[in-house]
Amino acid sequence: MSVIATSNLTMQFGEQRALDSLTVDVPSGVTGLVGANGAGKTTFMSLLLGLRSPTSGQVLVFGFDPQVRGAELRALIGYGPERNILPADMPAVDFVKHMSELRGMPRSEAKGRASDALWLVGLGEERARALGTMSTGQRQRVKLAQAMASDPSMLLLDEPTDGLDPVQRDEMLSLIRKINREFGIDVLLSSHLLEEVERICDHIVALDSGSLVAQGRLVDLIGDQQGVVVELAEIADYPHAFADVVSQLRDSGLTVSHGDAAPRMEVVGADVGMVADVVRDAIVDANARVVRIETRRRRLEDVFSVGGQ
Amino acid sequence: MNVEMNSEMLEQDTLSASASDDGAEIHDLGYRKFEGERSGLVGAVRSLSWQTIRSILGLGRKGRHKVFPIIVGVVAALPAVVFLGVAIVLGNFGEGATLTYSELFAFSFTAAVLFAAMVAPEALVRDRRDAMFTMYLSTPLTRVSYLSAKVSAVLIVMMTIVFGPVLLALLGWTFVGSGPDGFFNWMLAFVRLFFGSLIISAVLSSIALACSSLTNRRAFASIAVILAIFGGIISSNVLVGDADFSNVYGLLDPIGTATQTATLVLGESTENLDSPPLLASVDSQVVVLGTLAWFAVGAAVVVFKYRKLEAI
């Protein structure tokens, strides 16, 4: 059963088309909703929550239309907004408890669950602190805790790593992955960073200016193509060595990409062993010298370009 | 709604099978699935209403957020407490002192206006400022149920401020033997005072919430409330008192209009008063319509603003 299914979903704001005939099918698991700022990710989430009416087309969440069963669906969805502004003088545990009650938890249950959720996201010791005194990373965790304290069937997380440093980002992504794996909560994660989506998502829905760029299982999108990264030394006797290697590799049918600044190239092919052999021969033939050579897995950004990457 | 869950329920870990010989166990429940019944929309409205009451009264917040609610509480309670104290000490209200039921509302006005201007805006303004409106609409709450919770919260506190002192005064009156005769008449007075308070509270709450829906700054909302109330009072007095316009222009005074309607509910006459209100000679139905108009305009402003307000 699809968790989310849309058919020709279109959302128009005046002259601007935020979503254009979007037909997607999101199964259980962790799904990455990727796209640059303004791609339509947040609009898509608002339609899933039933907060907007689509201009045309249909959206179903757990098989129900959010426009018809919105209140019931929202009780089963934990939403973590992108904006990082929360009631400054409210203790974290009170905030999570309050949001939990709003999503249907009985008062007697809500306080205990709020504490449990805050412990889970690593804020157990900080649960009595006012939200205004917390760091950006802690507030992101509080947003995650409030979204899941009511035991939702699905989390909608809008840019949950926004404003986090690399370590905090790793922790947040691990936490989201854990929530899905251990508690079976489906996750739709919005992000403009392909790298983080690639790390934890099972499925991808990629948007660009409101249109669908790609969707499907991550492994299907990336495929099993692999390659190598090659960095050559510049040698005065063989000034054309780099260009010769690139030329020979392309003649062999491999995909080669490189920048202008350094003698570094990325070579992608169907089989990494074959790629490595061809690279080795090309280097020998061109009398080039190797500084570094390493295997490289195909990345999402090789498949499509979103988020300005 | 029966939503198929894809996960296995998290098993509860038993850290220790037996901590002592009597079979006691320590369970680490941790995060777990919820199998009980959810409280639904009614529970959400109740929770938001209660949280709003706590918020506007400064409960669970820093000391500075409690200042205005405490001032309002003191201003509301003090006259009635003094009234009650005098009644208890002297056994009456003093030589020749008489009050109509509607005059009891005078105890509440200052506090009610202070609350409407300084405290009530917190109910709506804070949610927009903190982006909580979006958070609330991501729960089972709808715009209508969200506003219902907010209105009920403000109305409950406003009723406490308006009706509380009046009730105290009624009790004092009863205590010195000047109150209604018999249980039936006492209950009748109680009910009439309750509904009179409700009318005044509804009009003031409507003005406060309408002004609060126009801005994200509490200070601006407070100014707007003061302008709406005192602007109405001053303009009605100038037009009717100084410029000899029709007494109908007295309807521009929201407090006077609401009080006059409350007086009608109380079944009292203003004919014998030394300085009857501007609306004393206006037809009762027009006064009631005027009160409804104040309430309706305020409600319309709130609905219009929130219908258009972006949730995400």
Side-chain angles (χ1 to χ4, degrees):
Chain A
M1 175 185 171
S2 298
V3 174
I4 298 165
T6 70
S7 173
N8 295 316
L9 187 65
T10 299
M11 189 72 218
Q12 185 95 22
F13 296 108
E15 295 293 309
Q16 186 190 357
R17 182 158 285 201
L19 293 175
D20 191 6
S21 296
L22 204 63
T23 299
V24 298
D25 190 14
V26 176
S28 276
V30 181
T31 301
L33 181 63
V34 290
N37 291 330
K41 304 188 296 291
T42 302
T43 302
F44 184 63
M45 286 194 168
S46 72
L47 289 167
L48 298 180
L49 288 166
L51 302 183
R52 295 182 193 281
S53 301
T55 307
S56 63
Q58 190 184 37
V59 54
L60 296 175
V61 181
F62 296 120
F64 298 97
D65 185 346
Q67 287 300 309
V68 180
R69 309 284 289 270
E72 293 158 279
L73 276 173
R74 288 194 295 274
L76 299 169
I77 296 174
Y79 171 66
E82 180 180 7
R83 287 187 68 179
N84 215 11
I85 308 170
L86 297 169
D89 53 3
M90 201 170 190
V93 70
D94 286 357
F95 175 68
V96 176
K97 172 179 172 281
H98 178 46
M99 294 307 298
S100 180
E101 284 179 4
L102 291 174
R103 293 196 177 97
M105 287 293 113
R107 184 172 290 181
S108 56
E109 183 82 8
K111 188 160 190 176
R113 296 192 66 86
S115 286
D116 291 344
L118 285 166
W119 276 105
L120 182 73
V121 300
L123 290 176
E125 301 285 358
E126 312 288 335
R127 64 189 185 281
R129 266 180 65 185
L131 294 169
T133 67
M134 289 185 160
S135 67
T136 303
Q138 288 172 321
R139 284 204 293 273
Q140 288 284 25
R141 284 167 184 263
V142 171
K143 285 196 293 186
L144 181 60
Q146 65 80 28
M148 64 172 300
S150 57
D151 186 26
S153 299
M154 179 167 64
L155 291 179
L156 296 185
L157 303 176
D158 200 352
E159 303 277 3
T161 59
D162 197 28
L164 302 185
D165 63 35
V167 175
Q168 291 174 328
R169 176 170 295 178
D170 286 348
E171 291 172 352
M172 177 61 81
L173 292 174
S174 300
L175 200 51
I176 292 168
R177 192 70 182 152
K178 177 181 174 182
I179 287 168
N180 172 255
R181 288 288 181 267
E182 294 192 12
F183 309 122
I185 298 172
D186 296 318
V187 180
L188 181 66
L189 165 78
S190 145
S191 176
H192 62 281
L193 300 172
L194 291 174
E195 183 265 337
E196 68 180 34
V197 165
E198 190 178 272
R199 280 176 52 189
I200 65 163
C201 293
D202 306 311
H203 309 90
I204 302 292
V205 173
L207 303 179
D208 187 21
S209 301
S211 297
L212 184 67
V213 176
Q215 70 164 322
R217 292 199 309 157
L218 183 66
V219 67
D220 292 339
L221 288 171
I222 294 178
D224 53 3
Q225 277 203 328
Q226 294 185 337
V228 295
V229 176
V230 182
E231 189 173 344
L232 302 179
E234 294 186 32
I235 309 167
D237 294 346
Y238 300 100
H240 303 296
F242 183 79
D244 290 345
V245 171
V246 171
S247 175
Q248 189 169 334
L249 293 173
R250 283 180 175 156
D251 289 345
S252 302
L254 299 177
T255 303
V256 182
S257 57
H258 62 85
D260 297 329
R264 179 180 181 278
M265 71 185 85
E266 294 181 2
V267 189
V268 177
D271 173 63
V272 69
M274 181 272 288
V275 171
D277 287 346
V278 176
V279 167
R280 178 199 61 210
D281 294 345
I283 289 171
V284 171
D285 293 346
N287 289 316
R289 288 186 188 166
V290 177
V291 173
R292 181 168 65 97
I293 183 166
E294 63 185 14
T295 57
R296 177 191 179 281
R297 185 169 172 267
R298 198 179 185 214
R299 308 286 300 275
L300 261 180
E301 56 200 89
D302 300 328
V303 183
F304 48 77
S305 175
V306 294
Q309 295 189 40
Chain B
M1 182 184 305
N2 181 22
V3 173
E4 184 182 340
M5 299 301 300
N6 303 302
S7 66
E8 293 298 321
M9 188 177 166
L10 181 68
E11 292 184 359
Q12 297 177 354
D13 296 328
T14 303
L15 290 182
S16 172
S18 59
S20 63
D21 291 342
D22 62 3
E25 291 181 338
I26 301 170
H27 293 281
D28 175 20
L29 297 175
Y31 183 83
R32 60 203 182 279
K33 288 288 175 192
F34 177 69
E35 300 294 336
E37 189 175 346
R38 293 177 189 261
S39 55
L41 187 58
V42 174
V45 171
R46 188 176 56 227
S47 176
L48 179 58
S49 189
W50 172 239
Q51 180 58 37
T52 303
I53 290 172
R54 282 175 53 83
S55 175
I56 59 181
L57 294 180
L59 301 176
R61 303 177 67 189
K62 287 180 179 172
R64 62 191 165 91
H65 297 293
K66 296 178 174 67
V67 173
F68 279 125
I70 288 172
I71 290 173
V72 169
V74 169
V75 170
L78 199 60
V81 169
V82 169
F83 184 80
L84 200 59
V86 168
I88 291 169
V89 172
L90 300 179
N92 57 47
F93 302 119
E95 197 65 31
T98 56
L99 283 170
T100 63
Y101 287 126
S102 56
E103 285 175 307
L104 292 177
F105 288 124
F107 289 142
S108 313
F109 281 147
T110 308
V113 172
L114 268 176
F115 174 78
M118 311 305 289
V119 183
E122 190 77 359
L124 290 182
V125 170
R126 195 175 176 221
D127 285 351
R128 293 202 305 277
R129 192 183 58 217
D130 293 340
M132 283 300 289
F133 181 62
T134 291
M135 291 290 285
Y136 285 137
L137 290 199
S138 74
T139 71
L141 290 169
T142 60
R143 288 169 199 267
V144 172
S145 50
Y146 167 84
L147 287 175
S148 302
K150 292 292 173 178
V151 169
S152 63
V154 171
L155 199 54
I156 286 169
V157 181
M158 186 71 89
M159 271 297 282
T160 307
I161 291 165
V162 175
F163 183 58
V166 172
L167 181 61
L168 269 179
L170 176 65
L171 290 172
W173 217 339
T174 307
F175 184 79
V176 298
S178 302
D181 294 328
F183 178 74
F184 177 78
N185 286 332
W186 196 94
M187 282 305 296
L188 188 63
F190 176 88
V191 170
R192 283 176 161 175
L193 284 170
F194 178 85
F195 282 105
S197 302
L198 190 60
I199 290 165
I200 294 168
S201 299
V203 168
L204 286 175
S205 298
S206 175
I207 292 170
L209 292 174
C211 294
S212 306
S213 66
L214 298 174
T215 172
N216 286 356
R217 300 283 295 273
R218 199 184 76 168
F220 292 163
S222 298
I223 292 168
V225 173
I226 289 168
L227 284 176
I229 293 174
F230 289 99
I233 292 172
I234 292 167
S235 59
S236 65
N237 276 285
V238 168
L239 289 172
V240 179
D242 298 339
D244 287 334
F245 276 54
S246 163
N247 277 34
V248 172
Y249 285 94
L251 294 172
L252 291 173
D253 172 3
I255 293 180
T257 307
T259 309
Q260 183 65 12
T261 307
T263 305
L264 293 170
V265 169
L266 291 167
E268 292 181 330
S269 169
T270 54
E271 287 177 2
N272 298 326
L273 294 177
D274 292 335
S275 42
L278 299 177
L279 293 167
S281 60
V282 177
D283 187 73
S284 300
Q285 291 174 336
V286 175
V287 175
V288 172
L289 283 175
T291 304
L292 287 173
W294 270 106
F295 180 76
V297 168
V301 170
V302 174
V303 169
F304 178 77
K305 288 296 291 185
Y306 274 80
R307 197 170 60 87
K308 296 284 184 185
L309 194 61
E310 289 281 315
I312 296 182

